[in-house]
Amino acid sequence: MAPTARNDITTRAYFDAATAAPLHPVARQAMSAALDDGWADPGRLYTEARRAAQLLDAARDVIAECLGTRPDEVAFCASGSHAAQLAIDGVRDARATVGAITVHSAIEHSSVLRAAQRGPSREVAVDRLGHVELDALATALAEPGVAVAAIQSANHEVGTRQPIAAVAAACEANGVPLYVDAAQTVPWEPLSAGWSLASASAVKWGGPAGVGVLAVRKGTRWARPWPVDRTDPWTVPLPLVVAAAAALRIVRAGAAAESVRLSGLVDRIRTEVAATVPDVEVVGDPVDRVPHIVTFSCLYADGEALLHALDRQGFAVSSGSACTASTLRPSHVLAAMGVLTHGNIRVSLHPGVRDEDVTRFLAVLPKVVADLRAEAGVADL
């Protein structure tokens, strides 16, 4: 019998939406239409340019509404990682007379950590579930010379939500602007109040790659890296922006119902993996989390080997550090939480995932883990 083709989508299940969700069909349609109507420079005054400008304004309105901010506070850039760099660098430049320290949690996305560590920074610990330690945060914010605090709305590896309202209150009490990496929550809900800067990435909600979103609240001291007479720092292709807005609008329209469905599937994974796979640790907050992410670590099994074994069974998942897997280093997120970092698998579900794919995954996983342990000479205990 011939092996099943690895690219046969009828037998494969994509479980890595926290990295990038599949392109939404509505995004594809919007992009195609914008290629016809949005090819001109929206900064010009002739008819074709005005049509393009209308498309850009409409897309910005949609993004702003979903973020819970004003359209003139929204800019587009090349990626979510790029937006993180712009946010932190811009605040540091604008608040240079105050200081240059970035206070951040120990489990921020690698792009945020890279931006923070370009200057002086203070790392704040998290608990075993991944929540930032609020007392330690308040102490760090009270230090002289703090320019900005960077706290994500929810963790990209384990799904734990951060207490943004409490974080924002601590920042306000110390006169420190709060930057929120909202990549994992924007597809599901508006941002909590109290932030000064926020970023997101279109690939997280089924938009095209190449579109990052940066929102800067009016009144925030932030140095623009582009001329004041321009709205955006770089010319992001308009069809991509239109596609991103169209995808976010339709995803958010169905977010309430889909959140319930995916959260139920994640609950099922958390329960059944713990019951059927020996020596496994399911990590992250089981309740206060985003609906689509679940991570577990299997003792006596190599994470990369697990990834490849599951891939051969038709499942695309993440292993190790979700944002730096190519480095082959243990996840900085799991290490900071003090949980098992070995044999790590992250499952993140997109709105189009099928319930039966999760059922098949849960049926396959125990044998995959057992076989890898047997190959390593370790029997399940």
Side-chain angles (χ1 to χ4, degrees):
M1 181 176 175
T4 302
R6 289 169 63 99
N7 63 352
D8 182 354
I9 60 173
T10 64
T11 61
R12 290 190 60 79
Y14 181 77
F15 289 168
D16 195 22
T19 296
L23 187 66
H24 198 288
V26 167
R28 191 181 303 275
Q29 294 167 6
M31 190 187 310
S32 179
L35 287 170
D36 292 332
D37 288 337
W39 52 267
D41 183 347
R44 302 301 180 181
L45 299 178
Y46 39 78
T47 299
E48 294 82 357
R50 291 199 301 272
R51 187 179 300 125
Q54 289 172 345
L55 289 173
L56 178 59
D57 288 344
R60 198 186 308 277
D61 288 345
V62 169
I63 299 292
E65 181 180 0
C66 291
L67 291 178
T69 189
R70 294 170 29 159
D72 61 354
E73 295 173 333
V74 173
F76 298 108
C77 56
S79 66
S81 296
H82 193 191
Q85 178 184 329
L86 292 173
I88 292 174
D89 286 353
V91 173
R92 274 179 164 159
D93 289 347
R95 288 170 53 85
T97 56
V98 175
I101 297 172
T102 300
V103 173
H104 61 85
S105 83
I107 61 171
E108 297 300 310
H109 191 274
S110 60
S111 62
V112 175
L113 295 181
R114 283 195 298 269
Q117 291 163 5
R118 285 156 61 98
S121 62
R122 300 291 183 272
E123 182 176 283
V124 179
V126 297
D127 64 21
R128 194 171 177 84
L129 295 180
H131 303 114
V132 65
E133 297 283 1
L134 290 173
D135 289 344
L137 176 65
T139 299
L141 292 172
E143 284 188 35
V146 175
V148 62
I151 304 292
Q152 60 195 181
S153 56
N155 185 257
H156 50 288
E157 287 195 39
V158 301
T160 298
R161 292 179 182 275
Q162 295 296 351
I164 293 299
V167 169
C171 288
E172 183 178 8
N174 288 278
V176 175
L178 171 61
Y179 158 59
V180 176
D181 169 12
Q184 297 301 332
T185 56
V186 164
W188 307 105
E189 63 199 20
L191 293 171
S192 298
W195 56 273
S196 298
L197 307 98
S199 66
S201 173
V203 295
K204 310 302 184 184
W205 63 70
V211 180
V213 176
L214 173 64
V216 182
R217 290 285 200 194
K218 294 296 182 184
T220 301
R221 291 177 61 186
W222 180 72
R224 291 172 176 265
W226 63 87
V228 296
D229 60 344
R230 290 183 58 193
T231 306
D232 295 314
W234 289 270
T235 304
V236 177
L238 180 57
L240 299 185
V241 172
V242 171
L248 183 56
R249 178 168 54 190
I250 194 140
V251 165
R252 284 287 288 274
E258 198 64 9
S259 175
V260 171
R261 185 179 79 91
L262 295 186
S263 188
L265 292 174
V266 164
D267 284 340
R268 182 182 171 195
I269 294 171
R270 293 182 68 93
T271 300
E272 294 194 24
V273 167
T276 61
V277 180
D279 301 301
V280 69
E281 182 177 18
V282 184
V283 300
D285 195 306
V287 177
D288 192 11
R289 58 172 175 78
V290 287
H292 62 300
I293 297 176
V294 55
T295 294
F296 53 89
S297 299
C298 303
L299 196 61
Y300 314 124
D302 178 73
E304 188 175 2
L306 274 171
L307 185 152
H308 290 303
L310 288 168
D311 188 38
R312 290 192 293 271
Q313 294 293 328
F315 299 101
V317 297
S318 288
S319 178
S321 179
C323 52
T324 57
S326 62
T327 66
L328 301 181
R329 292 196 302 265
S331 162
H332 72 276
V333 171
L334 301 182
M337 291 168 58
V339 298
L340 184 65
T341 62
H342 194 69
N344 173 251
I345 290 293
R346 181 188 67 177
V347 172
S348 51
L349 309 177
H350 61 90
V353 75
R354 302 178 302 181
D355 293 20
E356 54 265 36
D357 289 332
V358 172
T359 297
R360 188 167 68 88
F361 174 78
L362 291 170
V364 164
L365 180 67
K367 186 175 187 306
V368 167
V369 175
D371 287 348
L372 288 176
R373 287 171 172 169
E375 290 175 10
V378 179
D380 287 338
L381 302 179

